[in-house]
Amino acid sequence: MKNIETLIDEGGDISIGPVAGLTCVAAATDGYNCLAMRVRRDGEKLNVLMKRLDKAIGLAWSDDVFTDEVNGPA
């Protein structure tokens, strides 16, 4: 999960926990922007959620695509 590692090494952070009535959300921020918010799927292993978050961080950096599964499409 190199993107998560790089994010943390550069001062960003991730958080995992309940948000807005959802039981488990993984979010990543770089200190200025929320790069990604992923909702844990029913029966999904935590390591799979983290891999999906890692991929979403990469998309934010490479393509300016910010994943938000909490708020839905704008």
Side-chain angles (χ1 to χ4, degrees):
M1 291 182 243
K2 69 177 190 150
N3 293 319
I4 291 174
E5 186 174 343
T6 300
L7 176 70
I8 292 170
D9 287 347
E10 293 179 358
D13 64 77
I14 63 168
S15 62
I16 303 169
V19 173
L22 300 166
T23 57
C24 186
V25 172
T29 64
D30 65 5
Y32 303 99
N33 299 301
C34 181
L35 303 175
M37 290 191 289
R38 292 284 200 180
V39 175
R40 189 174 188 183
R41 299 171 181 158
D42 288 339
E44 183 175 42
K45 301 278 187 189
L46 186 58
N47 67 327
V48 173
L49 173 63
M50 298 309 294
K51 287 177 185 176
R52 291 193 309 116
L53 182 65
D54 189 73
K55 184 176 180 179
I57 293 167
L59 285 173
W61 286 339
S62 66
D63 299 334
D64 286 332
V65 174
F66 300 90
T67 304
D68 182 351
E69 294 180 347
V70 173
N71 299 300

